[in-house]
Amino acid sequence: MNRANLRFNVASNLGDSEMVLHSEDSINESLQEGYELICVKTLCLEKSFKFPQLNNQTYYDFGRFHPDILAVSGIWSFNINRWLIPASRKLFDTWRWDWELMTGEPRWFDPINYRYTCIIPHNSPTSGAFQVFYKAKADQLTDVQIPSIPPSAIKAIENYATADQFFIDREFSKGSRYYKQWLEDIPIIKKLALRKADADRVNLSAPNDSMPIFSDNGDNMQISDETVQGTIDGVNTIFAIAKVPNPTSSLMLFLNGQLIYQGLGYTLNDNQITMNSDYIPQVNTPADAFKAWYLV
Amino acid sequence: MSELWTDQQIELWAQEGEEDISNKQNLVIDRIGLATEAQQSLFVLPDYCLNISRVAFRGFKLEGKNMNELIDSQSSPNGNISYSRPLFYVYNGFGKRTIKVLPATSENLAAPSGDLFNATAIGAGMIVEFYRTPDFSDDLNRIPQPMRKILVKYYLLYRALQQDGPGLDLKSSDFFKQLYETNLFDLKLINAATFLSRENVMGDIPQNLFRGFKARPILPPNYPVRY
């Protein structure tokens, strides 16, 4: 069931099939909100991205480059071909007081909030990358798009949107019925999501919808370690990358392994990069390594 | 809406709502680098600091103590008894947003700058990590979406409908307040299940179960635990 179908159902629930009293935009907004809340409360969307190891970096600001992260759930290190071990900063404190300065190949991680993830020890100089697995926020629905949650649970979005519209109308008793139903739907979606996790190790005689359709690797393709095009002569400020980053915030530029922040060190216009004067690549021996990582 | 309430008033309530969320739930992490002088022990933190989560001097973590522990230790509250690498900080009793480090610092160090989450800056001086109020000029330091949008909406409705005047509707205001608090409670559970570091206090058996590693949030089975 796509968004257009859901919107029609919500309008019918409201007794306003022609959408005279409730605008299309308003119902779309409620549907989007319901979808987003389901993803937050059940963590049913899973995605991953590749991220380069950074010099001396103890805390990775994954949220800056991938704003759809709800929580980092796993990290694979390509350098050691192992999963990093999930741990907590309180544990690190028991090892040594200055664990933030520990050097070596990364082994442990602790997501400290929606934005930062602590990864220790850190390497310098470093190369290689992580594959970061995370629970994702909902994507923006379009009229023809089917929400990425189990098909049998899509009714939950309709229930939330109906309740929300009734609440806006201050019809609380009518809205509460749908809201209660929505609250009851949440644990069902959680169970369906967990069943998918079980599916590769137990036989399930469940209906097809116990295998929800998830986006496995995100909708965007990752470009890794691309050499930035342009003359490095200590003067030139204009450089280019092969494709236009989408979203633009996903672009990470590295000059000799050091991350340069967008806005501070350079500006991006489509695929053209204009370096600020303090960050112009210089003529060095060996030559400066100027690399880009981004989504398209 | 704009006939009953001005855009400015609505904007103000929306910001107030976001501040209320961050006051009740530690979400937005920020760091500040502090310059130190030899024999300095008092440091004032910025206004937007709500809760300290970590203080480190040249990468070494300082242990948080409260005023009572300082009294028990019979340490002088005024004199700086000794100077070396600070080991402790006292987070109350010395004024608003003022911490006292013990022993006092022994070095003149510039405030670490640049990326304060990078080991180069961490090792360079004194850094305080804290939960902060939202920074409305920077989307990265605000309550994360989509919870921000939903919570602020309910908060705004609750505040707007309780304002005296033609828009007054106390029953509706109470209803939206309840929705706000319910969703805020959910946010607390999500945050606790996902991000809070924990330490097992149950003795050896649970630690053996975790092969020596202390408890940490595990996703998604305990997420959130309310249902």
Side-chain angles (χ1 to χ4, degrees):
Chain A
M1 191 177 285
N2 61 25
R3 188 179 75 174
N5 303 136
L6 285 168
R7 188 173 59 236
F8 179 77
N9 283 356
V10 172
S12 302
N13 293 342
L14 296 165
D16 185 20
S17 306
E18 302 298 317
M19 283 185 253
V20 178
L21 301 170
H22 303 85
S23 73
E24 214 174 275
D25 284 349
S26 170
I27 297 177
N28 283 347
E29 209 169 297
S30 297
L31 287 168
Q32 182 68 32
E33 207 171 281
Y35 180 36
E36 286 170 351
L37 266 181
I38 285 169
C39 291
V40 167
K41 290 180 185 241
T42 65
L43 291 182
C44 62
L45 271 184
E46 296 163 336
K47 292 184 180 178
S48 76
F49 57 84
K50 201 172 174 184
F51 203 93
Q53 282 196 29
L54 306 178
N55 280 346
N56 279 327
Q57 200 68 31
T58 311
Y59 297 86
Y60 282 72
D61 187 359
F62 293 134
R64 174 186 288 268
F65 302 102
H66 297 271
D68 65 333
I69 291 180
L70 279 173
V72 171
S73 52
I75 299 177
W76 171 265
S77 168
F78 288 101
N79 279 10
I80 53 173
N81 280 335
R82 284 182 191 281
W83 290 95
L84 301 192
I85 300 166
S88 96
R89 292 204 292 177
K90 284 195 185 295
L91 171 68
F92 305 151
D93 286 340
T94 63
W95 292 347
R96 50 189 269 190
W97 291 111
D98 63 341
W99 58 262
E100 286 180 322
L101 305 179
M102 276 166 69
T103 54
E105 199 55 50
R107 294 277 179 179
W108 296 272
F109 78 99
D110 177 22
I112 63 168
N113 80 340
Y114 58 92
R115 198 174 149 189
Y116 292 105
T117 299
C118 167
I119 297 178
I120 64 159
H122 62 263
N123 251 338
S124 180
T126 187
S127 59
F130 300 120
Q131 189 74 26
V132 180
F133 293 80
Y134 66 103
K135 308 294 179 181
K137 293 175 186 172
D139 40 354
Q140 182 68 41
L141 286 175
T142 60
D143 269 359
V144 292
Q145 190 183 340
I146 299 169
S148 302
I149 60 174
S152 65
I154 285 182
K155 183 87 178 157
I157 300 178
E158 180 190 319
N159 286 331
Y160 180 86
T162 308
D164 194 44
Q165 289 294 314
F166 272 130
F167 291 159
I168 292 168
D169 296 342
R170 302 192 208 177
E171 300 231 39
F172 299 122
S173 53
K174 287 182 189 170
S176 294
R177 282 187 58 198
Y178 287 95
Y179 197 76
K180 187 165 171 272
Q181 185 57 51
W182 178 74
L183 285 179
E184 286 168 4
D185 289 337
I186 296 295
I188 296 169
I189 301 171
K190 270 183 69 184
K191 273 186 194 164
L192 291 173
L194 284 175
R195 266 194 226 164
K196 192 204 177 213
D198 285 342
D200 64 348
R201 56 176 182 270
V202 291
N203 279 331
L204 288 178
S205 53
N208 287 338
D209 63 9
S210 67
M211 303 281 282
I213 304 157
F214 295 129
S215 354
D216 289 321
N217 292 304
D219 301 324
N220 301 6
M221 190 175 79
Q222 172 104 38
I223 306 287
S224 307
D225 219 21
E226 178 186 310
T227 302
V228 179
Q229 299 302 311
T231 311
I232 297 180
D233 57 6
V235 180
N236 178 36
T237 58
I238 309 291
F239 295 85
I241 46 178
K243 293 187 167 63
V244 179
N246 178 28
T248 51
S249 64
S250 67
L251 175 63
M252 290 180 286
L253 269 190
F254 295 93
L255 187 56
N256 296 326
Q258 294 296 331
L259 178 64
I260 305 172
Y261 286 106
Q262 208 172 132
L264 183 70
Y266 67 93
T267 51
L268 176 70
N269 186 11
D270 290 336
N271 66 335
Q272 184 177 302
I273 294 160
T274 308
M275 303 303 293
N276 292 347
S277 53
D278 293 341
Y279 294 88
I280 298 172
Q282 302 296 314
V283 183
N284 284 324
T285 309
D288 276 1
F290 199 18
K291 302 281 187 180
W293 294 56
Y294 55 100
L295 298 175
V296 291
Chain B
M1 291 283 274
S2 57
E3 290 169 8
L4 296 173
W5 304 283
T6 62
D7 289 349
Q8 190 189 4
Q9 181 66 76
I10 288 172
E11 180 65 27
L12 208 65
W13 280 328
Q15 291 194 0
E16 186 185 291
E18 211 171 321
E19 278 166 359
D20 188 64
I21 298 163
S22 58
N23 283 334
K24 290 176 177 165
Q25 186 55 46
N26 292 327
L27 284 167
V28 188
I29 287 181
D30 201 357
R31 286 186 165 205
I32 185 171
L34 299 171
T36 61
E37 288 176 16
Q39 303 183 21
Q40 181 182 0
S41 67
L42 290 176
F43 295 89
V44 180
L45 303 179
D47 288 344
Y48 50 85
C49 167
L50 291 173
N51 274 315
I52 297 169
S53 56
R54 184 175 188 85
V55 179
F57 183 80
R58 283 187 170 276
F60 284 83
K61 187 197 174 194
L62 276 63
E63 205 174 318
K65 300 283 180 192
N66 66 34
M67 191 67 172
N68 288 343
E69 287 171 281
L70 185 69
I71 292 168
D72 288 347
S73 72
Q74 290 299 322
S75 277
S76 162
N78 297 320
N80 296 325
I81 305 158
S82 55
Y83 324 110
S84 76
R85 174 170 67 79
L87 297 173
F88 307 99
Y89 70 95
V90 183
Y91 51 81
N92 60 347
F94 290 94
K96 192 179 175 188
R97 295 194 180 90
T98 303
I99 58 171
K100 182 181 175 75
V101 301
L102 298 167
T105 54
S106 56
E107 293 177 85
N108 295 322
L109 293 173
S113 58
D115 181 0
L116 300 181
F117 292 88
N118 186 289
T120 309
I122 293 170
M126 180 131 143
I127 287 179
V128 180
E129 182 187 289
F130 53 87
Y131 293 99
R132 60 166 296 162
T133 56
D135 177 1
F136 298 108
S137 65
D138 177 8
D139 204 51
L140 287 166
N141 281 328
R142 296 180 68 176
I143 307 296
Q145 296 282 27
M147 291 309 278
R148 184 207 310 167
K149 184 174 68 177
I150 290 154
L151 283 167
V152 167
K153 180 179 85 172
Y154 289 140
Y155 185 87
L156 207 154
L157 285 164
Y158 139 62
R159 291 286 279 123
L161 293 170
Q162 76 166 12
Q163 183 181 263
D164 204 5
L168 179 69
D169 182 349
L170 291 178
K171 191 181 159 199
S172 301
S173 172
D174 286 348
F175 184 84
F176 286 118
K177 186 182 180 193
Q178 203 183 344
L179 273 182
Y180 170 70
E181 283 170 354
T182 309
N183 279 284
L184 186 60
F185 183 70
D186 279 356
L187 178 65
K188 279 185 185 181
L189 289 176
I190 290 165
N191 201 33
T194 314
F195 297 121
L196 293 192
S197 286
R198 295 188 189 82
E199 201 169 1
N200 266 340
V201 288
M202 299 287 286
D204 293 337
I205 295 169
Q207 293 212 8
N208 286 339
L209 284 176
F210 285 99
R211 285 183 256 159
F213 294 108
K214 302 202 171 178
R216 64 165 294 275
I218 298 166
L219 299 172
N222 66 343
Y223 188 88
V225 289
R226 180 165 170 239
Y227 300 104

